[in-house]
Amino acid sequence: MKRISCLVMAAVVFVCSLTGCREQDTLVSKQGFYFDTVIKISISGKGKKESEKILDQCMALCQKYENIFSRTREDSEVYQINHRSTGSVKVSEDVQRLITAAMEYYKLSDGKFDITVAPLEDLWDFTGENPRVPSPDEIQEALDKVGMSGISLDGDTLTFENDAAMIDLGALAKGYIADRLKEFLGEQGVSKGVINLGGNVLTLGKKSDGSPWKVGIQKPFADRNELLAVVEADGRSVVSSGTYERYFEENNKRYHHVLDPATGYPVENSLTQVTILSDSSLQGDGLSTSCLLLGYEKGRELAESLEGVEAAFVLEDGTIRTTEGMKLTEQ
């Protein structure tokens, strides 16, 4: 018997009610559905009418970026890249930035973080109604199309050695978009607020009363919005990645969506979740996925090697381990 789970909502959720604050009185918020999840942006310090105008512009930016990074929208840039007719294509500045970042995390993760796993993702079909365990032959056929070493970026020209290779920028896109939204809000004079793009929460400044924003981290495999812990984040990013976000069970075995590009199968290590606290949401995206792929020991070593980064690791037995500067309040 097969059981399928696909968490559309966040692995990280902003929970103002935990703070006992009155920020709700001054926050103006807007929700939307982008990047296959419900997003919410909240700001303060502006009048209601001006805030609503700024938030409408934020939603327009989200639509713009979805039109660039979506792998399934036939009019998106990434879709066009994956359905190219030649080995080289011209790409936008936004795609250039994400390809460059992907190459960095590919190196930092010893090749585990790989945006060319798209053929494997299609084969497993975790986002579909009937995901399945592929045959070994199917896995090998897909693996022949995978490999970051087979793509190169020279200025605005992206080149593929393998005509069948495809990219998926989903592991980095929300982080990049959150950073761009924060940049835009800063340009509009907004210094306080919260950007919640599902598993990516990015805060601006502190709350109006000077207290820190508090971000709830979802408990793996629990009911939606059941919290594992809370972390304070003043002007910082909190990003979680976990094996519980999309998975199915078949013949009493769980298969999750975090695929090892070396084997073609879900990665098997001691972790179910990694949460990264950092200044950049793009960095949080890249590191949370990289550390999840690497496993606890190597993942912790990577997080501790980077300045300004803290991490929390949830092991399969429910144990929580953190880097020295990661201060969690367990729930």
Side-chain angles (χ1 to χ4, degrees):
M1 183 174 180
K2 182 181 291 185
R3 183 164 71 89
I4 302 170
S5 176
C6 179
L7 294 184
V8 176
M9 285 297 289
V12 179
V13 287
F14 171 66
V15 187
C16 187
S17 60
L18 290 171
T19 69
C21 66
R22 297 180 179 177
E23 196 72 30
Q24 297 98 321
D25 298 333
T26 56
L27 280 173
V28 179
S29 303
K30 189 173 182 66
Q31 287 192 171
F33 189 85
Y34 299 94
F35 328 122
D36 294 323
T37 192
V38 176
I39 73 166
K40 183 177 181 180
I41 303 174
S42 306
I43 61 175
S44 66
K46 299 284 183 179
K48 188 174 187 296
K49 186 174 182 180
E50 184 178 0
S51 293
E52 289 176 347
K53 180 180 178 181
I54 291 171
L55 291 172
D56 285 341
Q57 291 175 295
C58 286
M59 295 299 160
L61 282 173
C62 289
Q63 185 64 67
K64 167 193 168 182
Y65 287 121
E66 184 160 56
N67 292 344
I68 294 172
F69 298 127
S70 171
R71 197 162 72 81
T72 57
R73 291 178 61 102
E74 294 187 7
D75 58 347
S76 77
E77 182 176 356
V78 167
Y79 185 94
Q80 296 301 316
I81 290 170
N82 286 337
H83 294 80
R84 63 199 175 277
S85 57
T86 61
S88 296
V89 291
K90 298 290 186 182
V91 296
S92 67
E93 183 178 355
D94 292 306
V95 170
Q96 289 175 51
R97 289 178 175 178
L98 279 200
I99 295 290
T100 300
M103 291 176 172
E104 176 186 354
Y105 291 109
Y106 176 75
K107 293 177 181 177
L108 287 173
S109 66
D110 296 327
K112 293 287 189 181
F113 185 99
D114 193 326
I115 59 170
T116 68
V117 295
L120 285 167
E121 294 171 341
D122 289 344
L123 185 60
W124 285 85
D125 195 25
F126 283 99
T127 60
E129 294 183 0
N130 294 294
R132 64 183 180 89
V133 180
S135 70
D137 287 344
E138 289 175 316
I139 292 285
Q140 187 55 57
E141 184 180 354
L143 282 173
D144 291 340
K145 305 171 186 177
V146 173
M148 279 282 285
S149 61
I151 68 173
S152 60
L153 182 66
D154 183 9
D156 65 351
T157 302
L158 180 62
T159 300
F160 295 82
E161 291 183 7
N162 188 332
D163 291 340
M166 297 189 294
I167 61 171
D168 185 346
L169 300 178
L172 294 172
K174 285 197 294 182
Y176 177 78
I177 295 162
D179 288 340
R180 300 286 74 75
L181 287 169
K182 184 173 182 177
E183 184 179 86
F184 169 75
L185 289 173
E187 292 169 353
Q188 307 309 306
V190 176
S191 59
K192 295 180 177 64
V194 179
I195 300 164
N196 184 349
L197 304 187
N200 299 65
V201 173
L202 185 56
T203 64
L204 287 77
K206 296 185 178 183
K207 293 187 296 184
S208 296
D209 62 3
S211 62
W213 300 106
K214 293 187 178 181
V215 178
I217 300 172
Q218 182 175 306
K219 185 177 182 180
F221 300 106
D223 292 337
R224 184 178 299 172
N225 293 347
E226 184 177 344
L227 298 184
L228 174 76
V230 174
V231 61
E232 295 183 353
D234 293 340
R236 306 200 77 195
S237 162
V238 182
V239 179
S240 286
S241 294
T243 61
Y244 54 89
E245 293 167 351
R246 291 188 178 95
Y247 68 90
F248 65 91
E249 293 179 1
E250 188 170 301
N251 297 325
N252 296 318
K253 182 176 174 61
R254 180 181 293 147
Y255 298 91
H256 60 76
H257 74 295
V258 185
L259 300 175
D260 187 333
T263 67
Y265 290 88
V267 65
E268 294 187 18
N269 56 40
S270 61
L271 292 176
T272 59
Q273 184 189 71
V274 177
T275 298
I276 298 293
L277 177 66
S278 61
D279 292 330
S280 161
S281 193
L282 174 59
Q283 185 183 39
D285 248 355
L287 288 177
S288 62
T289 302
S290 295
C291 291
L292 188 61
L293 284 160
L294 285 169
Y296 172 64
E297 297 294 342
K298 290 185 177 180
R300 179 171 186 141
E301 182 180 339
L302 173 57
E304 290 180 334
S305 72
L306 301 170
E307 187 176 352
V309 171
E310 301 296 343
F313 303 86
V314 182
L315 279 61
E316 290 176 340
D317 63 2
T319 302
I320 306 173
R321 297 182 180 174
T322 67
T323 54
E324 186 175 353
M326 186 67 149
K327 307 302 182 185
L328 296 180
T329 302
E330 294 189 37
Q331 300 299 291

